Amino acid sequence: MDKLSLGTLGQHLQTLRLAQGWSLSQLAAAAGIAKSNLSRLEQGNGNPTLDTIWRLAVQLNVPFGTLVAPIRVPLGEDGVEVRLLDQGKDTPQVDAYWMRCAPHTVRHAEAHTPGARESLTLISGRLEAGPEGAIETLSAGDTLTFAADRPHLYRTQDAWATLLLTIVYTGQGDPP
């Protein structure tokens, strides 16, 4: 992530944390990250992983898209790129993402907020995806919807996979 995007993310993260009355120590402990790493992130320094950003969003009780909304560049690591396309303002809240996974990539995603549902539509390639223990294989044009409030994964084989991903926040812990 470029320096401007890191700074934007850090300021937005701090604003959300303070609005909810969390101290640096409280949020860091709840998200399972070091306080010094959270402090660096809020200052626009550091290189957060997708998992770190997800954990912070879950602890702040906001959708991932709310946390990354000010950033216009794809977020990525370990062969996965994700970019927020749009974020609904209705109830339930719906976030839409573009995602691309490199060949031979396995991405283990942590559970989203309670009640969250995820839908994937594969644009190109092949992808194995879904909740751990209930993985399905998708080909171009296939769609899969599953409960995303438990750990799930995305796995590619020999080719890139490109997909559209939506997350619908419809349960306890959803944003108001």
Side-chain angles (χ1 to χ4, degrees):
M1 192 179 323
D2 62 59
K3 188 70 174 161
L4 178 60
S5 296
L6 277 171
T8 301
L9 176 64
Q11 289 174 353
H12 190 58
L13 174 60
Q14 183 178 51
T15 299
L16 291 170
R17 177 180 61 78
L18 292 173
Q20 293 191 21
W22 288 72
S23 70
L24 267 173
S25 297
Q26 289 170 319
L27 180 56
I33 63 174
K35 179 182 172 184
S36 59
N37 288 345
L38 179 57
S39 177
R40 280 195 301 275
L41 181 55
E42 285 191 359
Q43 294 169 11
N45 301 313
N47 192 19
T49 65
L50 291 173
D51 285 336
T52 296
I53 297 170
W54 276 111
R55 283 196 308 268
L56 290 167
V58 167
Q59 292 307 314
L60 289 168
N61 197 29
V62 298
F64 178 82
T66 297
L67 189 51
V68 301
I71 302 170
R72 296 293 169 217
V73 299
L75 302 170
E77 67 185 11
D78 301 328
V80 176
E81 292 181 342
V82 178
R83 183 176 64 225
L84 178 68
L85 297 175
D86 201 0
Q87 186 173 45
K89 303 298 180 212
D90 297 323
T91 301
Q93 183 167 334
V94 179
D95 291 355
Y97 300 90
W98 166 89
M99 184 170 163
R100 190 160 187 235
C101 302
H104 306 289
T105 296
V106 177
R107 167 93 178 118
H108 292 273
E110 294 186 24
H112 303 324
T113 55
R117 296 200 49 81
E118 192 166 305
S119 292
L120 315 172
T121 299
L122 195 62
I123 297 169
S124 65
R126 289 181 56 85
L127 181 72
E128 296 173 7
E132 294 184 6
I135 305 303
E136 294 190 31
T137 301
L138 302 159
S139 296
D142 290 344
T143 297
L144 173 65
T145 300
F146 58 90
D149 56 1
R150 59 186 194 162
H152 48 285
L153 68 83
Y154 314 91
R155 180 174 37 232
T156 59
Q157 300 301 322
D158 296 332
W160 284 87
T162 303
L163 56 143
L164 294 175
L165 181 147
T166 58
I167 302 173
V168 179
Y169 295 93
T170 61
Q172 295 178 337
D174 286 344

